[in-house]
Amino acid sequence: MIPFMLPWNLSRKLAPIWHKFAPSFTVRRKIDGIYVYFDFRDQPHYCLSPVSQLICCEPTLLPPQAVKIWDVGSNSGIFSLNAAQKGHEVIAFDISPKAINLLRKGARANQVNIQTVEGAFSVEPYFYTTPTSSHTENQAIKTSGSGQRKSITFLEAAERFGIPQVIKMDIEGNEKEFLQSSTYRDWLTQHNILWIFEMHKSEDFELLKNWKTHEVDPMHFAVNFNFH
């Protein structure tokens, strides 16, 4: 992903060159009145695009009263910072240590408290390789185990951090694992949890037939939307 003024197909082709040769330094931007930090090499779209293109739609779905929120796939934390500034209790999960550090920097700049968790998020546990960049398209690459990180399951997270009222999830296609899980679906229903998630692959849209969803926009959906 490279500067916004290039056509999408061209930017995709040039992205590997950008990520190899562009310098890495931190850029601070003000989005919705909140300071957010990005890495110029890893996240050029967020560093160079007009602010109007970076507005986060998910906070508009949050209930007016303060609730516990899991931001799964938080990256630099546009959503987490926005939610925390509105008074919500936020636990942010991301597989990238670099992205987590950028989020922590944003939390300090905005004087909000956000609990951060470095690690992949899953239905069933697996081992994976930790990414070295803060790229927004980072995915957990599963490995055989030895010497690698282990993912945290949603049930383990509930035991450690308490059951949330809202889960926002953007994990670059790994939402499929959750959409296929009846255990996860039953858990959401049992606790009346609002789940806001992004769909990345058109072939996965077929899985939505098993869910009662509210379409937020063509790529974002919500379950238990009547929560608030």
Side-chain angles (χ1 to χ4, degrees), residues 173-185:
N174 288 334
E175 295 88 351
K176 181 177 181 179
E177 177 190 13
F178 292 86
L179 286 165
Q180 291 175 322
S181 173
S182 59
T183 301
Y184 180 67
R185 181 169 62 246

Side-chain angles (χ1 to χ4, degrees), residues 16-36:
I17 300 174
W18 175 277
H19 291 300
K20 184 175 181 179
F21 294 107
S24 176
F25 58 87
T26 301
V27 174
R28 185 174 82 167
R29 302 208 62 185
K30 196 170 187 179
I31 303 170
D32 281 346
I34 297 169
Y35 291 115
V36 189

Side-chain angles (χ1 to χ4, degrees), residues 66-133:
V67 297
K68 184 193 296 288
I69 297 171
W70 291 356
D71 184 2
V72 181
S74 58
N75 199 257
S76 292
I78 296 177
F79 174 84
S80 284
L81 295 167
N82 193 308
Q85 194 170 74
K86 287 178 168 61
H88 300 291
E89 177 187 354
V90 180
I91 299 95
F93 302 80
D94 202 271
I95 60 173
S96 166
K98 193 173 181 180
I100 287 290
N101 285 333
L102 290 170
L103 192 157
R104 290 171 178 163
K105 193 169 184 177
R108 290 192 296 270
N110 293 285
Q111 298 182 324
V112 295
N113 293 318
I114 295 175
Q115 187 169 2
T116 56
V117 184
E118 180 191 317
F121 195 85
S122 63
V123 174
E124 299 293 338
Y126 60 79
F127 291 93
Y128 67 96
T129 302
T130 301
T132 57
S133 77

Side-chain angles (χ1 to χ4, degrees), residues 56-63 67 69-73 79 83 165-171 175 178-179 184 188 193-200 208 211 213-217 219-225 227-228:
C56 186
C57 70
E58 292 95 335
T60 61
L61 305 180
L62 296 178
V67 297
I69 297 171
W70 291 356
D71 184 2
V72 181
F79 174 84
Q165 284 73 54
V166 178
I167 299 175
K168 169 262 178 185
M169 185 179 292
D170 184 359
I171 49 177
E175 295 88 351
F178 292 86
L179 286 165
Y184 180 67
L188 289 178
I193 298 169
L194 171 63
W195 181 33
I196 308 164
F197 60 96
E198 183 172 359
M199 295 291 286
H200 296 267
L208 294 179
W211 295 77
T213 61
H214 170 85
E215 184 176 325
V216 180
D217 61 39
M219 295 299 294
H220 293 85
F221 298 84
V223 173
N224 290 340
F225 189 72
F227 166 81
H228 61 299

